[in-house]
Amino acid sequence: MELAILLEYGGVLLLLIALEGLLAADNALVLAIMVKHLPEAERRKALFYGLAGAFVFRFGSLFVISFLVDVWQVQAIGALYLLFIAINHIYRKLIIKKGEEKIESAKGKKRAGFWMTVFKVELADIAFAVDSILAAVALAIALPDSGLPNIGGLDGGKFLVIFAGGFIGLIIMRYAANFFVKLLHARPGLEIAAFLIVGWVGVKLSVYTLSHPALSVLPEGFAKSPEWKITFYAVLILIAIGGWFLSKKKNGTSVEE
């Protein structure tokens, strides 16, 4: 593999790790709330079963997507989904702000038993896995072919980048989420930046879809052109920098709170 291609693959993988870290922190907070009512031993088991199911789902769905990734209808659905979750999350976070009300109203509800909690954690993990895989596919699909043998219907190098991103996301959610949770508590604006990046990745997948030969709304080579790649990464870096510097740093807020 040429050095330039190797560097491009490495850059996408590092971007996936950073994005997975921020999203995993948000996901970890949700899962922590879901299992909070269980005894500590059962709490750990529920999270373990949920994460094990998420790994199986991610691995299986990755093979399915590898066969469907060149179907423009699948690309379009993926792009719309990424745009939807980004806009929906930012809208709820900035405008509706019902997070505290939902937590307060949940206190009066009957708590679910162990296996029902495991089932809910599984469903949540599956939803998180869909977000993660689609974001990884959108970032990797426009990479140049690596020359490695195809896995499913996808170039081997692209498949490995997507798989590594998803696997690292699970590891972060299990072991390193606490660091990212602290980071999000210290700089809450990074959560908005993370979902802005998800939306921007949705735009990237939209551009790739519109460049599909079956549609040809955009020139076929546009999605892989240097001009578009420079524009994409420039905007992405600006979002990340803006999220860091425009986020007000909070002091004296513990993760437990």
Side-chain angles (χ1 to χ4, degrees), residues 27-38 43 46-47 111-114 116-125 128:
N27 298 347
L29 285 173
V30 174
L31 296 181
I33 293 172
M34 291 176 69
V35 302
K36 189 177 181 180
H37 65 284
L38 294 174
R43 193 184 311 160
L47 289 174
R111 299 298 188 183
F114 174 74
M116 181 54 69
T117 301
V118 170
F119 177 70
K120 291 180 178 179
V121 170
E122 288 282 4
L123 291 179
D125 279 329
F128 299 151

Side-chain angles (χ1 to χ4, degrees), residues 1-46:
M1 190 184 296
E2 295 181 5
L3 180 60
I5 296 177
L6 193 61
L7 290 174
E8 191 170 355
Y9 271 73
V12 168
L13 183 57
L14 290 176
L15 175 59
L16 271 176
I17 292 172
L19 185 57
E20 286 279 1
L22 291 172
L23 294 179
D26 188 56
N27 298 347
L29 285 173
V30 174
L31 296 181
I33 293 172
M34 291 176 69
V35 302
K36 189 177 181 180
H37 65 284
L38 294 174
E40 184 175 354
E42 291 189 355
R43 193 184 311 160
R44 292 179 179 178
K45 286 182 181 178

Side-chain angles (χ1 to χ4, degrees), residues 92-130:
R92 287 188 293 106
K93 193 75 176 177
L94 296 181
I95 299 176
I96 299 180
K97 296 184 179 180
K98 288 184 178 178
E100 294 181 359
E101 295 174 11
K102 289 181 179 178
I103 293 173
E104 287 299 322
S105 64
K107 291 181 179 179
K109 295 181 180 178
K110 184 180 179 180
R111 299 298 188 183
F114 174 74
W115 288 111
M116 181 54 69
T117 301
V118 170
F119 177 70
K120 291 180 178 179
V121 170
E122 288 282 4
L123 291 179
D125 279 329
I126 288 172
F128 299 151
V130 171

